[in-house]
Amino acid sequence: MIDGDTIEIRGERIRLHGVDAPESWRGCEDGDGGTYRCGKEAAYALDSSVAPSRHIRCELVERTRYKRRVSICFRADGREVNRWLVESGNAADWPCCGKAGHLARKVRPAVRGARAVRAKRNASSC
């Protein structure tokens, strides 16, 4: 895993379409006046979710202007990784690159207590 919304397969970085997770170094408010390493937590959660699967299948949605793949990825058991990230509260549904987030109207993001990820949406990172 590169971070909470980017994986690497056979040396190629793949940005997960329609989700935004904080960068690994980023901290988030915990709702009690403190902060926690939400970026590191999101990356760890993604790794924990896909590692047992061993086989990940990604469907290309588009390539960025930098030729980076943007994909919807699935574990070997068929579970969509992108959707799981939002449902688990580790990423936000994100309208990437001027397109609606592919999870919009399909999923209501889970809230892990007061620690739901409040990912900054920045279209320039796509």
Side-chain angles (χ1 to χ4, degrees):
M1 299 310 109
I2 303 303
D3 60 27
D5 55 22
T6 304
I7 61 175
E8 186 171 286
I9 299 176
R10 291 186 290 277
E12 183 173 21
R13 288 189 180 195
I14 300 171
R15 170 79 163 83
L16 298 175
H17 173 73
V19 300
D20 186 30
E23 300 301 321
S24 296
W25 53 266
R26 184 155 178 245
C28 293
E29 295 176 9
D30 67 5
D32 293 324
T35 60
Y36 71 105
R37 301 270 316 265
C38 58
K40 184 176 181 181
E41 192 173 297
Y44 178 76
L46 177 59
D47 187 51
S48 296
S49 174
V50 300
S53 178
R54 298 187 190 252
H55 176 77
I56 301 296
R57 174 178 58 87
C58 295
E59 297 175 359
L60 179 68
V61 173
E62 64 185 331
R63 286 198 181 263
T64 67
R65 63 179 170 245
Y66 304 109
K67 306 297 183 206
R68 187 173 175 195
R69 288 178 59 116
V70 178
S71 300
I72 299 173
C73 297
F74 301 87
R75 298 183 335 179
D77 64 4
R79 180 132 193 214
E80 183 186 326
V81 175
N82 308 44
R83 176 181 303 278
W84 177 84
L85 281 169
V86 173
E87 289 175 339
S88 67
N90 286 292
D93 186 18
W94 183 44
C96 180
C97 305
K99 298 182 173 83
H102 88 286
L103 301 176
R105 295 183 306 272
K106 294 181 186 175
V107 132
R108 190 173 79 215
V111 177
R112 297 180 345 224
R115 293 173 57 142
V117 171
R118 293 170 182 89
K120 181 179 179 183
R121 291 165 179 89
N122 182 353
S124 65
S125 66
C126 181

